[in-house]
Amino acid sequence: MDLFNHGAQHFPNIISATLSDLIEFSAKIDEGTAGKRLVGHQDIQNLCNIGEIPNIIHRITGHNYKAVRAILFDKNPELNWSLAWHQDRTICVKEQIESDGFGPWTVKQGYQHVEPPFEIIATMLTLRLHLDDVNANNAPLLIAPKTHYLGKIKQSEIDGVIAKHGQYTCTARAGDIWLYSTPILHASKISHGVSRRRVIQIDFSKDTLPNGLEFLGV
């Protein structure tokens, strides 16, 4: 499984050295939401700008990517949910500036989100930092290999695309990362495990937005 051919790639044991710090950091984040936006946290900024993560992205793509959004997902026995098959299609920006091809606009946890032209999504990457082991029963990420090459997929076509391309289960150990092409079809089931499944998900882009729009960043 590699990023360019299949749309996702697994990197074992990448953040083990900082795992305890990340777990301590996650414990300070307010609970009670399915996904908590992370903005202005030095630990996450350092992780995205120095060390192995930016090196991995540059080695694979040959480009310098910038972290543009970070979210903490914390599935546990008290807070559990599922996500149907979908493509991520929104970005988080500093302020709403009406621009051709951008919309609709939404506000999530107080931050402006917008669906941009799909060519911006098509070049983005998403990275998942695993703070806990994730097995087949603990809500692993599910992806449909090679669907990152299909462009914007209509909702009515998703089931047929999954049937054709199949699905892959992205299990992981604490300290691993998964890197995937942002537009790939993906899903997640309800966790049937008894342990927590904490993931810090970070979106990266190499693009500059038009018309004064700016990614919110991390």
Side-chain angles (χ1 to χ4, degrees), residues 27-158:
K28 301 175 184 177
I29 304 301
D30 293 336
E31 299 179 0
T33 58
K36 178 67 177 179
R37 270 67 180 170
L38 305 178
V39 181
H41 295 283
Q42 191 65 49
D43 291 331
I44 301 301
Q45 292 169 352
N46 289 342
L47 197 67
C48 294
N49 293 312
I50 61 177
E52 189 61 23
I53 287 175
N55 291 337
I56 286 173
I57 294 175
H58 187 268
R59 284 201 308 268
I60 292 177
T61 67
H63 296 285
N64 293 318
Y65 275 73
K66 180 180 179 181
V68 296
R69 176 172 56 185
I71 306 173
L72 171 66
F73 295 112
D74 183 359
K75 282 191 180 181
N76 56 72
E78 287 73 41
L79 186 61
N80 206 347
W81 69 92
S82 65
L83 283 174
W85 287 100
H86 67 285
Q87 292 176 301
D88 289 336
R89 294 182 181 172
T90 64
I91 58 175
C92 188
V93 297
K94 291 183 178 180
E95 62 177 319
Q96 180 173 343
I97 301 174
E98 295 297 335
S99 304
D100 289 344
F102 286 77
W105 292 84
T106 55
V107 176
K108 300 177 183 179
Q109 297 180 14
Y111 299 111
Q112 288 284 352
H113 288 69
V114 65
E115 183 173 332
F118 196 78
E119 55 263 28
I120 292 175
I121 297 294
T123 63
M124 289 177 63
L125 299 173
T126 298
L127 183 145
R128 290 167 67 88
L129 311 171
H130 289 274
L131 307 189
D132 303 291
D133 292 347
V134 182
N135 57 40
N137 295 319
N138 200 24
L141 177 72
L142 306 174
I143 63 164
K146 301 185 178 182
T147 55
H148 60 306
Y149 286 128
L150 300 182
K152 189 173 182 178
I153 302 170
K154 294 180 180 179
Q155 186 68 34
S156 60
E157 297 174 349
I158 288 179

Side-chain angles (χ1 to χ4, degrees), residues 8-21:
Q9 192 163 339
H10 182 212
F11 297 89
N13 206 34
I14 293 296
I15 58 169
S16 295
T18 58
L19 183 59
S20 60
D21 291 337

Side-chain angles (χ1 to χ4, degrees), residues 24 27 84 160 173 187:
E24 182 179 351
R173 301 294 300 272

